[in-house]
Structures are given as structure tokens and as C-alpha cells.
Amino acid sequence: MFWNDTKPLRTLQTGPKIALSLFLILAGFGYLLGFFNILLHYQMVDGKAGLSLKDVQMTYYGSRDKTALEKSIDASMRGYFATDNDYNATKEWLADGASEKDWDSDIKPIFDKSCSTCHSSGAQVAGVTTETYSDVSNYLAQDTGKSIGRLVQVSHTHVLATAPLIFILVLILFMTSFPMKFKSAAAIFSMSAVFLDIGSWWLAKLAPGFAVLVMIGGMCLGLSFGLLALAPLYEMWLKKK
Ligand code: HEC
């Protein structure tokens, strides 16, 4: 089978070679899309452009000195305020303890104007409603980052998506004529990268120091995808017979 030194990849006819190459390119492209999704989504968590360790810490462990509402309005929801005054008034209200007595007069009009296009009880974008004080009070507790439920959800989809894809790529790598030691090392590294990538999210939820593992895990997975997609392409199209 694939593990033998039969070198079927080099001897492939043009049709299957093109089909296989398209798959490899798609897989690499899929990874890049995932990467840009992360970049777009998480770089503004700390309010500054560019993905940083702080973004990762705030996402998984949370900003424990803030409420979830304050974290969101300092980050991705910041731009939805109609004016800076509205934003400042909300910040003041939060700093003063976010009392219910000032909600109707001061804050509700701001939220109705700036937030309810997405967070009305009808639309409920991202499951969030900001119409009444009791809606909003759900987000007035200490921000503890990604919830366990959400972590289970993303871990489950990521394991089921990346594990089979990496496995198929590894099988293809084993069909190349690279040395067995290199292929085995690349295979073991890539499979471990999936563990590290997903496991690191859970560790980063436990303690902010582990956020660096999220970065390392992501890089290892990127390296794996790059290697697994490029090595067979190189063998099929560039390597001298
Ligand atoms: C154009 C649509 C849109 C508008 C307007 C909008 N939001 Fe959001 N909101 C979202 C989306 C999408 C998410 C989920 C993804 C995210 O967190 O970026 C979200 C998430 C949230 C969350 C949950 C964050 C968390 O950590 O779970 C809160 C709280 C929130 N918004 C508050 C607000 C407030 C307050 C405003 C008004 C200043 C506002 N949003 C305006 C689309 C919107």
C-alpha cells in the first residue's frame, strides 16, 4: 500500500495528477481561509490591530477585570456606537456600577440606536439581545472568556474537520518517494499539531500563560498544512525523474 516504496505518485498519469494537485491546493487554501478568519475575528479583541498574545488571552481566559459587555464595546462592538459621546456615556455608566435606575433614561436610547439593528429580540445576532436591562445584565458579570459550551462546540467541529483532512494529506505524503524517516516525522508532527492546536485552547481557558501555546499550536498546524500540501506537489511537478 501507501507505505511501500512503490513510488506511485511519480508515475501518475496527467489526469489523476491534476486532480490530486487540485485537492492539495484546495486543502492549503482551506487552511489559509481559516487563518484569515482568525485574524479578522480576533485581532481587535484587545482594541488594537494585529493578532497578539493579549487577544488570545482575552478570548480564552477573558478580561477578568472587565464585564463581558465592557470587553465587547471596547473591541468589535466599539464601531457600532453612533457617536463617541454614546460610547463614553456607556463606559461611565459601567464604571458607576451599571445601575438599573440610569438604564431607561441614559443607556437604553443609546443601545436602541446603535445596537438593536443586530441585537433586538427579533434579530438576536450571535444570540445577544440588548433591549432591556435584564437582557443586558446577562453581560454584566465578570468576563471569563470563551464559555465551556462554546469551547466544546468549536473543538468538536475542529477535530472532526482537521483530523480526517490531515490524515488524507498524510496518506498522500506516504505515496511520495521522500525518505521514510522524513515522511514519518512529518506525519507524526502533523497529527500532534492537531492535538496541540485544540488542546491549547483548553489550557488557555485555564490560565492566561498558556495563550502562547495557542500561537505555537496554530503555527505548527500551519507548518503541517504547508508541508503536507507542498511536498507532494513538488514531487509531482518539479522533482527531476
Ligand atoms: C451589525 C451587527 C451588530 C451591531 C450593530 C452590534 N453588534 Fe454586538 N455582536 C454582533 C456579532 C456578529 C456578535 C458576535 C461576534 C463577535 O463577538 O464579534 C456580537 C456580539 C456581541 C456581544 C457578545 C460578546 C461575547 O463576548 O459574547 C455583546 C455583549 C454585544 N455584541 C454587544 C453589542 C452592543 C452593546 C452593541 C451596540 C453598541 C452592538 N453589540 C452592536 C453584531 C452586532
Side-chain angles (χ1 to χ4, degrees):
M1 252 278 277
F2 300 124
W3 339 92
N4 295 341
D5 285 331
T6 47
K7 306 187 180 78
L9 257 200
R10 281 165 76 181
T11 55
L12 271 188
Q13 290 173 307
T14 313
K17 219 159 100 172
I18 292 175
L20 201 55
S21 300
L22 287 176
F23 171 72
L24 291 167
I25 292 167
L26 269 179
F29 194 57
Y31 174 79
L32 284 181
L33 282 178
F35 180 77
F36 283 121
N37 181 34
I38 288 172
L39 209 61
L40 286 177
H41 244 88
Y42 293 111
Q43 63 161 339
M44 286 310 286
V45 176
D46 66 355
K48 293 193 212 78
L51 195 62
S52 66
L53 212 53
K54 190 94 205 295
D55 290 314
V56 180
Q57 282 171 348
M58 287 173 68
T59 300
Y60 291 97
Y61 187 72
S63 307
R64 306 235 167 168
D65 56 335
K66 287 183 181 177
T67 61
L69 182 65
E70 188 164 10
K71 177 173 106 169
S72 72
I73 65 166
D74 282 345
S76 44
M77 299 302 124
R78 171 75 176 87
Y80 295 126
F81 282 100
T83 65
D84 278 349
N85 278 345
D86 288 351
Y87 166 77
N88 291 332
T90 308
K91 286 286 277 189
E92 258 168 51
W93 175 69
L94 285 168
D96 290 344
S99 72
E100 187 166 7
K101 78 175 168 46
D102 298 328
W103 164 260
D104 276 329
S105 57
D106 299 352
I107 306 301
K108 186 171 163 42
I110 296 177
F111 278 29
D112 281 350
K113 188 169 52 176
S114 308
C115 319
S116 61
T117 34
C118 295
H119 299 308
S120 65
S121 54
Q124 283 191 31
V125 172
V128 177
T129 318
T130 57
E131 271 181 2
T132 66
Y133 182 79
S134 99
D135 294 334
V136 169
S137 63
N138 291 325
Y139 301 96
L140 292 178
Q142 182 192 38
D143 171 43
T144 54
K146 261 213 199 320
S147 70
I148 298 289
R150 190 80 187 108
L151 263 184
V152 170
Q153 207 175 28
V154 285
S155 302
H156 143 90
T157 46
H158 267 81
V159 170
L160 290 185
T162 40
L165 187 55
I166 290 274
F167 188 67
I168 292 170
L169 291 171
V170 161
L171 285 184
I172 296 173
L173 183 73
F174 273 112
M175 292 158 70
T176 62
S177 60
F178 288 103
M180 192 47 122
K181 275 205 177 110
F182 166 78
K183 293 190 284 192
S184 304
I188 293 170
F189 178 80
S190 310
M191 304 277 193
S192 311
V194 179
F195 273 102
L196 180 63
D197 186 49
I198 292 160
S200 66
W201 305 341
W202 290 85
L203 290 172
K205 166 86 185 160
L206 268 179
F210 286 121
V212 67
L213 285 183
V214 176
M215 297 285 216
I216 296 174
M219 284 179 214
C220 288
L221 199 63
L223 205 67
S224 307
F225 265 97
L227 190 75
L228 294 177
L230 292 179
L233 283 172
Y234 169 78
E235 162 127 347
M236 281 189 287
W237 299 103
L238 295 174
K239 203 169 181 181
K240 298 253 155 41
K241 293 269 155 65

